[in-house]
Each structure stands twice: as C-alpha cells, then as structure tokens.
Amino acid sequence: MRLAAIDIGTNSVHMIVVRVRADLSFEVVDREKDMVRLGAGGLDGRNLTETAMASALQSLVKFRRLAESHKVDEILAAATSATREADNASDFLAAIVRDTGIRPRVISGTEEARLIHLAAAYGVDVLGQRAVVIDIGGGSVEITLGTGHRPQMMRSFKLGVIRLTERFVTSDPLAPRDERKLVRHIHAEIEDHVQQIVEAGFDRVIGTSGTILSLGAMAAHADDGEAPEELRNLRIPARQIHRVRKRVVELNLQHRLRLPGLEPRRGDIVVAGAVLLDSILRRLEAREITLCDLALREGLILDYIHRNRAHIAHIDRYPDVRRRSVFELAERCNYSAEHAQQVARLAVSIFDQTRGVHGLTDREREWLEYAALMHDIGVHISYERHHRHSYYLIKNGDLRGFAPQEIEVMGLVARYHRRAAPSRKHDGYGTLPSGLRRTVRTLAAILRLAEGLDRSHSQPLTAVQLHDRGEDALMQLRANGDAELERWAASRHVGPLEKLMGKPLRFELCGTTPYVEHTDQSPRSTREAVRRRRDRRVG
C-alpha cells in the first residue's frame, strides 16, 4: 500500500509519499516541499491573500500529480494554523477540492501537537523516557510532553515565526527593545504550560520543523566549523542555540544570509525563530535538543496506520525503535534471517567473554549486534563486494533512533566483516575520532570471527566458550551437528581478534561432532565443501 501525506502549513506545503510494508511500518519513497508563505498577511482572522492561495494551489496540483505517479492508494492532507484562522478558509478549501480533488482536514492546534509528538517518538529513540517535543511553524508552536507515542501534555500557541516576525521584527537588525518585547510576549504565552512540564519532569527535548532543523544546522556548523553530514538525531547543546540567537539578532539580512547552515529562504524569519527556540529551551532549563526531521506529515501516516489496524505488528514485536528500524532495513534487503541472527548471537557472546580485553560497554555491544544482523544485506545488491554494499545500505537505510556516528560505526563494522582491514584511507573510517576507530577495529574483529563460525549458514553451533590458558586461549565450539567447516573458517578469520587479545586462539569442537586436529591448510574435501556451499548461495 502507498500513501501520500500533505501538510498545508502556514509557511510551507510539504508532501511525503510512503510505502506501507506488510509489517505496518513505512518507508518514504518521495518527498516535495514548497515555501509558499500561505499565512503571510493572513493570520489572526484575516483573509488569506489571493497570491498566497494561488501559490499553495499551484503546489498542491503538482503534488497531486506526483502522488498519482506513485500510484498512491490515498492522499492524506491536513491544514493548520493559517487555514484554521482565516475568514476565507472555506473558499480556499473548496478551491483545493475543485482543482486537485484533495480534501484537506483542518486540524486543531491540539491535534496538530498530538500528531507531531507521534512522529517524533517514531523517529527518535525515546524508549520509556519522558520527552518534550517542540515544533515551530509559521503560525504556531506546539509543545508536548509524553512517553513513547502517547503525549500527556500538549498545547499549541500562536507563536509561529511568520506571526512573530510580522508583529515584532520591525527593524533589521532587530532592535534590543523589540527583542525584549518579543521575549516578554513568548514568556507570557508559554509560562503556565512550560511550568507544568518542568514540574512533571522530563528526560530529553526533541525539536522538529524546518526552523529548528535550520537553527540546529547553524549551531552544529558554528561548533565544528563544517556542515554536519546528517541532522537526524543530532544532539545540539542549548548553549549553542543561544549563541546562534545572539548572532542572528545582531546581524542584518544581508549578513545573516552568509551564515553557514542557514536556508536562504528563512533569512527573514530566522530571527524570530531563534529567539523563540532559545526562550523555550531556557525556560525549560534544557541542556540540549535532539533534532528530528519527522513532523506532522509523518504523524498523519502513523495515525492512519494506527486507526486502520488494531496493532502494528513490528511495534509489538520490537518495541525499541532502534531494533525495529534495524530489522525493517534487513527485511527490506531480503536478508538471511537465520544466518544473521546466529552470527549476532555468536558475536555478542564473544564480546561478553572478552570484556576484560577490550573494555567496551553495552552501548558498543548493541552496535555489534545490529551490525551483525545487517552485515550481509549488501548481497541484496550483489554478492561481489557485498561488504561494501552493506556499508552503503546501512548509511542510507533510513535507520531511526541512531545518532549519525552510531550509524557510521555500524556500517563500518559490517564493511570489515570480510578480508579488508580498517584503513584511514577508507571513507568514513579515517574521519572518526581515534576512540571510535579503535571501537570499529574491535567490533569488526569479533564480527569477522562470528561470521566464520556460521560459514555453512546452517547454524550448527549452539554456544562458544572461551578459556584463557595463559600463553594462548581456547575456544570450545559446542555443536549439534557437523561444524567442521565452521572450525576451519574460524581459524582463517581469527587473526584480528588474536591481535586484540595479544595471544593465539585455538579451537576445539565439542558435542556430537568429534574434534579433529587440522593444520592451517584446509583439506581438499573441506575446500571443496566451501566452494560448493558458496556456489549454491550465489546461484
């Protein structure tokens, strides 16, 4: 099933086209956005201007054609602040139906807040945490508090950036007196709601919308000196947002447009946006904000799925958004589930038994498990160089709930599960901090061995037990079938882990298959078995 969701906002009109999977998750297959400034001059009960309505209609006609090209089953559309406040809203809505056939639903501010919170919880790994979600639009700002996809407090305020710019930004740069008036107005509007949130307590703050993403990009650029590769799930210190506010307030439009990270079309409204976001964060006493690129349109999709299915199968199966996202990507790439899950089990077992050597934590253990689950998804593109294809798919697979560096590490660990050793000349690896490079080397060494321990793809091993014998180490391979191929493959791929441990690692088969001593050179029969099984998989 394919759906399109359109957000007819005060500042922009935005559409996504998604494919709903059998497990009731979805993936975005196309998106389009036009900044039409629908609410310019038409807020607070005034009429939408003819120019603004014509621009919005032109965009919606284009969006309808794009949706039809994807053969969508249904178009969901919601109109927000500018439309719900306008005296001529009914005329505008009738024109949309007449010209496009799309029937938008005018939603209340509270409903808008609920849908945005639903999307943010889907896109960011909140687990059981209490999260504040902030969305800054052209006509309104939504502030919610809740756990998971259930907001407990939600309010919408008439504090959008177009509205505030038209009312308070009367000079360029903004006069100090006008800035003080703007701040007093913001505090007067949000004070009671934010105070309730502070008293209830929260664990993190999530920011959605183009305004917040633009401010986050500017803050990240100012902090690192270069544009971030990915904004999704990027955590920005609140003090950096405050610095951006001070910077944009003191500059005129000509100089603001030179600021790295600022979308030029937001140059005139970014002043009000920066003051608004900084004021909210300071009132919350928040230390940081996590950026999220999912908002109302994704909320419309999720709400549709929830309303049309009693339960979402994957959410029931994998309540953790990170784990669910990994399995969704693996399944999209038609991964070999039994092999991947066996390799993941063996990898985390080896990780746990070597904690005293590598000193890594449960965070890195999770990265290893997910990299192991996805290590072979590159076969979906081609068996040849599938390790590189796996890296590409992990990097570009729309994994939710992960920070950009986490995705980079998992991709690199999967990339090095075969022969190639990590090199600073390789894309991604060379730009990592030294600590994360060491993590990649360690996890890749473990994954490489775990992959060898299921060389036949038949899961003959039930457990592995590592014993430190002083000058060397012994790994007992517990098997319930023929695991000779696994023992041989493990001996070929153990080198990186031996280097990490600083000693040789020997293997011993236990269980139903007797232990047979071998040299490093495999017998001809074993080599032929490897070739035959490999040919069957490729064929």
Side-chain angles (χ1 to χ4, degrees), residues 120-256:
Y122 181 82
V124 176
D125 181 25
V126 296
L127 293 177
Q129 295 180 321
R130 294 168 64 81
V132 176
V133 177
I134 304 169
D135 181 279
I136 296 177
S140 64
V141 58
E142 283 68 46
I143 307 176
T144 64
L145 171 68
T147 57
H149 61 275
R150 299 180 183 273
Q152 288 132 11
M153 299 181 189
M154 47 189 177
R155 284 285 304 277
S156 177
F157 302 93
K158 294 182 177 181
L159 295 173
V161 289
I162 290 180
R163 192 189 304 270
L164 295 180
T165 299
E166 291 181 350
R167 180 173 176 182
F168 292 98
V169 183
T170 60
S171 61
D172 190 30
L174 181 64
R177 188 171 75 171
D178 288 341
E179 183 180 5
R180 290 193 294 272
K181 288 181 181 179
L182 174 56
V183 171
R184 285 197 297 269
H185 177 69
I186 294 169
H187 285 170
E189 291 290 317
I190 69 171
E191 178 61 30
D192 291 344
H193 182 60
V194 172
Q195 180 62 31
Q196 291 176 17
I197 290 176
V198 172
E199 291 175 356
F202 59 90
D203 300 298
R204 68 189 306 177
V205 177
I206 301 168
T208 74
S209 77
T211 292
I212 292 180
L213 291 177
S214 184
L215 291 169
M218 295 167 67
H221 196 291
D223 190 35
D224 296 337
E226 57 184 24
E229 291 185 8
E230 180 65 65
L231 291 177
R232 174 175 292 183
N233 287 321
L234 192 63
R235 298 190 180 206
I236 304 294
R239 65 179 183 276
Q240 286 298 110
I241 298 295
H242 183 64
R243 290 172 187 167
V244 169
R245 166 191 170 172
K246 293 178 64 176
R247 187 68 174 149
V248 300
V249 165
E250 69 185 9
L251 296 176
N252 61 26
L253 177 60
Q254 180 181 359
H255 289 91
R256 286 197 301 273

Side-chain angles (χ1 to χ4, degrees), residues 400-431:
R400 300 183 306 280
F402 294 97
Q405 275 194 335
E406 293 182 293
I407 295 175
E408 186 70 55
V409 169
M410 292 186 297
L412 287 168
V413 172
R415 185 239 190 277
Y416 296 126
H417 83 268
R418 298 186 79 196
R419 302 180 187 87
S423 169
R424 296 189 67 170
K425 296 179 181 179
H426 294 160
D427 290 343
Y429 182 77
T431 57

Side-chain angles (χ1 to χ4, degrees), residues 504-519:
L505 179 58
R506 313 299 183 191
F507 297 95
E508 180 181 280
L509 284 172
C510 306
T512 58
T513 303
Y515 170 65
V516 180
E517 183 68 38
H518 285 287
T519 64

Side-chain angles (χ1 to χ4, degrees), residues 243-311:
R243 290 172 187 167
V244 169
R245 166 191 170 172
K246 293 178 64 176
R247 187 68 174 149
V248 300
V249 165
E250 69 185 9
L251 296 176
N252 61 26
L253 177 60
Q254 180 181 359
H255 289 91
R256 286 197 301 273
L257 291 174
R258 299 175 185 172
L259 293 175
L262 174 62
E263 188 178 353
R265 291 176 296 178
R266 297 185 185 276
D268 57 336
I269 58 177
V270 72
V271 174
V275 174
L276 175 58
L277 179 58
D278 183 51
S279 297
I280 296 171
L281 293 177
R282 288 167 70 84
R283 183 61 192 85
L284 287 169
E285 298 180 359
R287 294 184 178 181
E288 65 178 19
I289 183 169
T290 301
L291 304 183
C292 177
D293 61 350
L294 277 64
L296 177 60
R297 51 207 172 270
E298 288 82 9
L300 290 169
I301 296 292
L302 290 167
D303 185 61
Y304 178 92
I305 294 172
H306 282 305
R307 286 187 292 106
N308 288 275
R309 298 290 189 274
H311 300 284

Side-chain angles (χ1 to χ4, degrees), residues 445 491 494-507:
S491 68
V494 74
L497 187 59
E498 287 181 324
K499 184 177 180 181
L500 174 69
M501 297 176 66
K503 61 180 65 179
L505 179 58
R506 313 299 183 191
F507 297 95

